[in-house]
Each structure stands twice: as structure tokens, then as C-alpha cells.
Amino acid sequence: MKRLRRSVVVSLLLLSVASPARAQEAVEIEASVGLHGYVMPYTSATVSVRITADVLFVGNLQVSTGGVSLFTPIEVPAGSTKVYSLDVPAISNGRASVRLFYSGEDKAVVSESLTALFPEGDPLIGLVGADGIDGALTRLESVPFGRTPKTLRLQLQELDDDIAPLSYLVVGPGGLDDASTDHIAAVSDWVMGGGRLIGESADVS
């Protein structure tokens, strides 16, 4: 009987040691911030976290930056993926961390670090619509940048509030034809705030 008890105790100890490793294998996260990593300095930013779980995961998501931590409860069914978004204060130091916790536990199961990018004076140009985009780009030749512009190829679903870091948005013919009302409104607000929209058929009125 004593030998049986000892073997049971040893088995439980082995399970408790192995469980964190199994948890890391069972849960994966992919975090992103802003528009392809670009955010505006001194303004809030949206952190999106894609969580994939092999087993049911119930716990909390933590996003920390600049000494401020935000939490939100999460539940990801077994064999599924869910995306959570949190609006965080300005990422002044360009860094943020993402952690997952099981409910009632204070040790992170998995964590990931994020590095935000700032335009830093370089013109950031968003490109929407692959067909005919080169012709629209030639219209930028006379713009006195003085610095080398950076370009980002964007999907329609990315035309939301995160486009604030852009200096220019170049739209190919028909590039906004399938854009939603919300996307058009976001682009219109961006233009009203000083953004420059370039494209023969671009109309956000």
C-alpha cells in the first residue's frame, strides 16, 4: 500500500511539472498593434491578439505598456481561434507586452512582446488596389518629400481608425468600390484631419 501511495504521489508531481509546458503547446498567441505595426506617438492604439487553443482556455488577457496594464476575460473553445482587441494608452516607449493567464492564476501561460513603429517624419504611404496602382504612384514624383517614403500595401478591411499614421493614401481604379460605409467614413475623417488621398476614382464624400 505504501508503495502504491508513493507511486501516485510521484505521478501527481510529474503531472504538475509537465502541465505548464503542455499549456504552452496547447495555446498560441499572435499579437499586433496599429497599422502594420505603425502607431501615432502620444495617442492610444489598438492591440489585437489572435488566440488559438487546442483545449478549452478560460482566463484573462493582459496587455501592458508604459506601466499601465489592461485585463479582459477570455474564453477560447477547444480547437478554435478567437481575436480580442484592446485600446491601450499611448505606447510612448514603443513597447508593449501581451500575456495570457488561467483564471485564478498569477503566472502567465504564454507571453509575447510587441514593438510599435512611429513614422518619425518619413512619409508613410498606404496603397489600396493592385490594378493600375503604378500609374497613381507617378503622381507622387512632384511631391517634395525630402525624405524616402515608406509604402504599405493595404486591404480594404484595414481602412479603419488605424490609418492615422499615413501621410498619403493612394487608391487604384475601383480600389474603394467594395469598401464599407464605415471604411469610407474612416477615410473621410482621416482626410478631414489632414490626410492626403490620391486616386482618379477615389471619392469619400
Side-chain angles (χ1 to χ4, degrees):
M1 177 66 77
K2 290 184 179 179
R3 289 182 179 177
L4 178 60
R5 288 179 179 175
R6 288 176 182 172
S7 63
V8 171
V9 171
V10 170
S11 297
L12 289 175
L13 286 174
L14 288 175
L15 283 174
S16 65
V17 172
S19 59
R22 288 204 303 271
Q24 284 189 328
E25 294 177 358
V27 182
E28 296 181 356
I29 62 174
E30 182 180 347
S32 61
V33 61
L35 183 67
H36 292 219
Y38 282 93
V39 300
M40 293 297 290
Y42 313 114
T43 60
S44 61
T46 300
V47 174
S48 297
V49 184
R50 181 184 180 89
I51 305 173
T52 301
D54 293 336
V55 297
L56 173 65
F57 186 93
V58 179
N60 292 285
L61 167 65
Q62 176 193 39
V63 178
S64 303
T65 179
V68 177
S69 294
L70 302 177
F71 291 86
T72 188
I74 63 172
E75 181 174 337
V76 183
S80 67
T81 298
K82 294 182 72 172
V83 178
Y84 292 86
S85 296
L86 283 81
D87 291 329
V88 300
I91 307 180
S92 56
N93 60 359
R95 297 183 181 278
S97 63
V98 177
R99 297 188 179 103
L100 292 187
F101 299 86
Y102 278 120
S103 295
E105 297 188 7
D106 56 6
K107 183 177 181 180
V109 176
V110 62
S111 62
E112 183 174 329
S113 297
L114 281 175
T115 300
L117 305 173
F118 302 108
E120 297 181 351
D122 293 331
L124 190 61
I125 304 172
L127 311 177
V128 177
D131 297 334
I133 202 73
D134 293 338
L137 283 174
T138 60
R139 300 174 60 179
L140 294 176
E141 292 179 354
S142 61
V143 179
F145 287 132
R147 304 187 70 166
T148 302
K150 299 178 181 178
T151 58
L152 302 176
R153 290 197 172 270
L154 307 176
Q155 303 297 319
L156 282 178
Q157 59 267 29
E158 295 178 287
L159 297 181
D160 53 22
D161 295 337
D162 284 337
I163 65 174
L166 295 178
S167 301
Y168 294 83
L169 179 61
V170 181
V171 180
L176 296 180
D177 287 353
D178 296 326
S180 68
T181 302
D182 289 341
H183 291 148
I184 295 296
V187 173
S188 180
D189 290 342
W190 171 77
V191 171
M192 294 294 291
R196 299 185 181 183
L197 182 64
I198 298 176
E200 295 180 1
S201 61
D203 183 4
V204 292
S205 59

